[in-house]
Amino acid sequence: MRTFGYTSHPSRVVFGSGTVGRIREEAERLGCSRLLLLSGPAVARTAARLREVLGDLLVAEFDGAAMHTPVEVTERALDVLTRARADGIVAVGGGSTTGLAKALAVRTDLPQIILPTTYAGSEVTPVLGETQDGRKVTRSSQAILPETVVYDVDLTLGLPLPLTVTSGINALAHAVEALYSAEANPVTDRQALDAISRIAGALPRLAADPADREARADLLQAAWLSGTCLATVGMGLHHKLCHTLGGSFGLPHAETHTVVLPHAMAYNAPAVPEVMRRVADALGVPDAPSGVHDLIASLGGPTSLRDLGMPESGLARATELATSTPYPNPRALTGEGIGELLAGAWHGHRPEGPPSTEAKLARLTDEVVASFARTPDPRVRTLLSGLVRHLHTFVAENDVTDAEWQYAVDFLTRTGQKCDPTRQEFVLLSDTLGISSAVDLLTNSRTPDTTPSAVLGPFYVEGPPEAVHGSDISGGLHGTPLWVDVLVTDTDGELLKDAVVDVWQSNEDGFYDVQLPDLDGPVLRARLRTDSDGRITFWSILPSEYPVPGDGPVGQMLDATGRHPYRAPHLHFMLDAPGHRRLVTQLFVSGGAYLDSDTVFGVKNELVVDFTSRSGPTPDGRKVDGEWRRLDYTFRLAPQAG
Ligand code: BEZ
Ligand code: FE
């Protein structure tokens, strides 16, 4: 259970486009009739518009606000306010103008209406930081909190990009530190995360088009949310460092925030890994501190204290000041740690957060691949390196669990155990996963004028029985008689004699002889040699469709994926002719079942041929009652390479 406290700081917020036109109404709502307008040269046009809108409610103006709210400036403005007998303050501008309005309010208790033109967020906080005699003093009170904030997106459209970036990162800092604040609570958590993703989304869009109104609206809304976090919960190391650097070295406020934030985050990251993970998710990056650094760098924002004009010699004093008084921060402050942090920020180094899982995995993969560096055979090295990279990517992309990998290992073990001299489950696995056909496609499709190849399959047996031309290889098994008459030629159509042709097929029930232990010797497989006409002829039976063996791991895989186990009916051939490349292929029975969904993806259109239906006299005079079939085909072999 989470324990938390929560105090809201209510102010009225008006958000939109053209809302500057509602200032008079808002002033009247607060009961004001004599207003002091605080502005500055950068907002001269808006000030003119406000004069128009406020009309006779406006009784005095002051445009000398300065950074860090010096007390002497406040006193001059207070003089103007008192002499005009103002009963309300309207301020338009950035953090300095808002600071002045607050300084006047705390001294007079007058109501304030603030129109922010940057993303500082201080307009919704009850905090005031003033400088007197070079020292910054911060205080907080209800009188400091502005009563009304009017956000007008139009006022921010012309904010120059560099200022937009640093001011936006300033807002980001409020949100990030709110998440690891000791006072963090569910409300500020949501506000902070929403602000972070809006800032990360809006800034790159504004870098592309600074007048993108929707991006401006996102950023302004984020500024309000971040400012609300700042008002509600205490800040940590980052803000302390920025105050120290701003107060003691005169460094500019928003720029300092921009440079320091990634480094302060990296320092705190080990103490709050979960917060950093949420920040990284909101930013859409793998690592939050380096992600913020990269965002700033990509936007052309400042990344080093050196560039902001801080002398390197000041680092030791800054470290001392930042660690001299204790304050709440998720990670304990050490002189050494803060010294390193500031040195990194001074040099503009990219902070390295704890390595992400992705980074660790990439390192592991590289390490394994590097272990193959001394493999003597370069091809072996290439294949093993590629295999490891793909397997690592596979497990990473699919977030493979221990249990799943264990299952895979067990599956492969069982696949191996299922193999014996007549059963090849690994070949079957390769075939049913389409890998054999993929390899076949890559190795054999490069000779378009030759007969296409097809997978070997697991049922080939070395050294089949020799058969003479015209013999019957069916061993008398039942089936439709098939007369096979094939020619073997080269790519020019020259007939090739003495080619060794191995043939094998299943019986009428779809079984190969090796699957039928009761059979006496090989059947439906033979070796023939082409005669001087490049021809072989033999009798067999018409092959039928059959299921691949389903009693092993492959069968389980087919079941688990809802696939059928059938092969389209076919006859296997392996052809070897002197001076020619071996051809391993199959001829499929045109009109047969499963031609469109062969379970090993082995069917090629060119290999689907007519096994023509005949009756009556046969080519060699064999007597056949009823139907018999005839297969005529010419194989074209490629010449041996090289
Ligand atoms: C075959 O045609 O014999 C076959 C091919 C691949 C897998 C199973 C069987
Ligand atoms: Fe087969």
Side-chain angles (χ1 to χ4, degrees):
M1 189 190 70
R2 187 177 186 183
T3 307
F4 60 89
Y6 173 69
T7 308
S8 66
H9 294 284
S11 41
R12 177 172 162 74
V13 169
V14 177
F15 191 100
S17 162
T19 45
V20 71
R22 287 165 56 181
I23 291 294
R24 188 183 175 101
E25 183 187 324
E26 291 301 324
E28 285 168 350
R29 189 186 177 96
L30 291 169
C32 300
S33 55
R34 299 182 63 76
L35 293 166
L36 167 68
L37 173 61
L38 304 178
S39 67
V43 290
R45 288 234 326 261
T46 312
R49 171 85 177 110
L50 280 168
R51 277 179 213 115
E52 207 179 286
V53 175
L54 290 171
D56 58 355
L57 296 191
L58 184 60
V59 295
E61 290 194 41
F62 184 86
D63 68 357
M67 204 156 62
H68 304 311
T69 323
V71 169
E72 55 279 16
V73 173
T74 303
E75 280 165 358
R76 275 194 282 124
L78 186 59
D79 193 38
V80 174
L81 181 151
T82 314
R83 274 195 279 117
R85 287 179 291 113
D87 61 3
I89 304 160
V90 173
V92 59
S96 302
T97 318
T98 303
L100 177 57
K102 288 175 164 183
L104 292 173
V106 78
R107 286 167 173 77
T108 59
D109 212 13
L110 290 183
Q112 312 164 61
I113 303 174
I114 313 286
L115 287 98
T117 55
T118 66
Y119 309 107
S122 59
E123 63 279 359
V124 285
T125 73
V127 181
L128 168 64
E130 297 179 287
T131 40
Q132 184 156 29
D133 306 326
R135 274 197 50 231
K136 187 154 184 163
V137 182
T138 304
R139 55 179 152 159
S140 177
S141 85
Q142 215 40 44
I144 293 171
L145 182 72
E147 279 69 11
T148 303
V149 182
V150 177
Y151 289 104
D152 188 337
V153 174
D154 299 354
L155 302 190
T156 64
L157 291 181
L159 193 67
L161 185 64
L163 215 67
T164 302
V165 171
T166 53
S167 188
I169 299 296
N170 188 2
L172 182 65
H174 303 152
V176 168
E177 290 232 292
L179 284 167
Y180 57 60
S181 168
E183 289 100 47
N185 60 75
V187 175
T188 50
D189 281 0
R190 294 315 316 160
Q191 291 170 327
L193 289 170
D194 186 34
I196 292 169
S197 54
R198 282 180 195 274
I199 293 166
L203 283 176
R205 275 146 67 209
L206 289 171
D209 174 12
D212 180 332
R213 193 181 295 265
E214 284 306 316
R216 286 283 177 196
D218 270 347
L219 202 48
L220 195 56
Q221 193 171 320
W224 165 48
L225 293 170
S226 306
T228 307
C229 292
L230 179 67
T232 315
V233 301
M235 297 282 119
L237 171 67
H238 169 79
H239 280 75
K240 174 72 175 178
L241 289 174
C242 291
H243 288 159
T244 303
L245 295 168
S248 307
F249 297 90
L251 301 187
H253 181 81
E255 285 89 333
T256 307
H257 270 281
T258 306
V259 171
V260 172
L261 182 60
H263 299 275
M265 287 170 71
Y267 184 87
N268 279 335
V272 282
E274 183 53 22
V275 166
M276 288 303 160
R277 194 193 55 72
R278 295 172 84 192
V279 174
D281 284 352
L283 290 167
V285 296
D287 170 60
S290 53
V292 170
H293 171 93
D294 295 347
L295 176 68
I296 295 165
S298 72
L299 297 164
T303 52
S304 84
L305 292 175
R306 176 177 42 199
D307 290 351
L308 300 189
M310 179 173 177
E312 191 170 13
S313 58
L315 287 175
R317 193 156 69 89
T319 305
E320 204 184 301
L321 287 171
T323 50
S324 58
T325 46
Y327 54 90
N329 186 62
R331 183 174 167 198
L333 307 176
T334 64
E336 193 188 349
I338 300 302
E340 277 175 20
L341 181 168
L342 286 172
W346 192 84
H347 286 283
H349 292 153
R350 180 180 192 265
E352 293 300 339
S356 62
T357 306
E358 288 86 351
K360 284 186 201 156
L361 184 66
R363 208 169 301 154
L364 172 70
T365 307
D366 288 345
E367 213 177 307
V368 180
V369 168
S371 75
F372 302 133
R374 283 192 300 278
T375 309
D377 184 330
R379 182 67 180 155
V380 172
R381 184 172 65 229
T382 303
L383 292 178
L384 275 178
S385 304
L387 183 68
V388 163
R389 284 199 187 286
H390 279 87
L391 284 175
H392 284 211
T393 305
F394 166 78
V395 293
E397 276 180 2
N398 294 287
D399 240 329
V400 172
T401 63
D402 264 349
E404 286 165 340
W405 188 244
Q406 194 47 53
Y407 181 89
V409 170
D410 177 58
F411 180 89
L412 292 175
T413 305
R414 285 186 290 118
T415 302
Q417 286 166 344
K418 200 76 189 166
C419 296
D420 62 34
T422 58
R423 173 78 183 258
Q424 234 309 346
E425 192 77 356
F426 264 117
V427 174
L428 191 60
L429 183 61
S430 157
D431 294 342
T432 47
L433 294 180
I435 303 169
S436 308
S437 282
V439 172
D440 171 48
L441 212 72
L442 291 166
T443 28
N444 298 316
S445 300
R446 295 175 192 148
T447 51
D449 50 352
T450 61
T451 303
S453 52
V455 294
L456 174 71
F459 297 123
Y460 176 69
V461 177
E462 291 283 353
E466 300 262 357
V468 294
H469 286 218
S471 61
D472 186 352
I473 69 165
S474 74
L477 290 178
H478 189 264
T480 308
L482 170 69
W483 172 253
V484 181
D485 184 341
V486 301
L487 295 175
V488 182
T489 75
D490 64 12
T491 48
D492 296 324
E494 283 296 319
L495 295 162
L496 297 174
K497 66 179 171 98
D498 293 332
V500 177
V501 182
D502 289 353
V503 296
W504 67 105
Q505 68 169 93
S506 61
N507 69 13
E508 205 185 30
D509 300 327
F511 291 109
Y512 283 79
D513 53 0
V514 290
Q515 297 174 285
L516 302 168
D518 294 343
L519 265 186
D520 191 15
V523 277
L524 290 171
R525 62 178 73 242
R527 171 165 291 170
L528 295 105
R529 292 167 201 274
T530 53
D531 61 17
S532 53
D533 293 333
R535 157 174 278 135
I536 60 165
T537 56
F538 61 93
W539 280 100
S540 185
I541 52 173
L542 182 68
S544 56
E545 67 274 14
Y546 64 85
V548 298
D551 59 342
V554 171
Q556 251 184 349
M557 182 273 286
L558 294 175
D559 275 351
T561 54
R563 281 172 51 179
H564 73 69
Y566 282 92
R567 291 232 55 205
H570 59 273
L571 194 54
H572 291 267
F573 290 87
M574 182 189 285
L575 302 101
D576 275 300
H580 291 79
R581 279 177 63 178
R582 165 178 288 183
L583 173 65
V584 176
T585 191
Q586 303 171 27
L587 295 179
F588 294 88
V589 181
S590 163
Y594 304 108
L595 284 171
D596 289 342
S597 63
D598 182 51
T599 201
V600 304
F601 312 95
V603 178
K604 292 177 182 170
N605 285 343
E606 306 92 305
L607 298 174
V608 179
V609 294
D610 282 336
F611 285 56
T612 37
S613 175
R614 299 286 172 90
S615 57
T618 58
D620 65 349
R622 173 182 173 181
K623 189 160 164 17
V624 175
D625 291 333
E627 186 198 12
W628 56 277
R629 299 276 189 126
R630 175 174 186 131
L631 167 65
D632 293 283
Y633 194 78
T634 300
F635 291 101
R636 297 165 77 90
L637 305 191
Q640 197 69 266

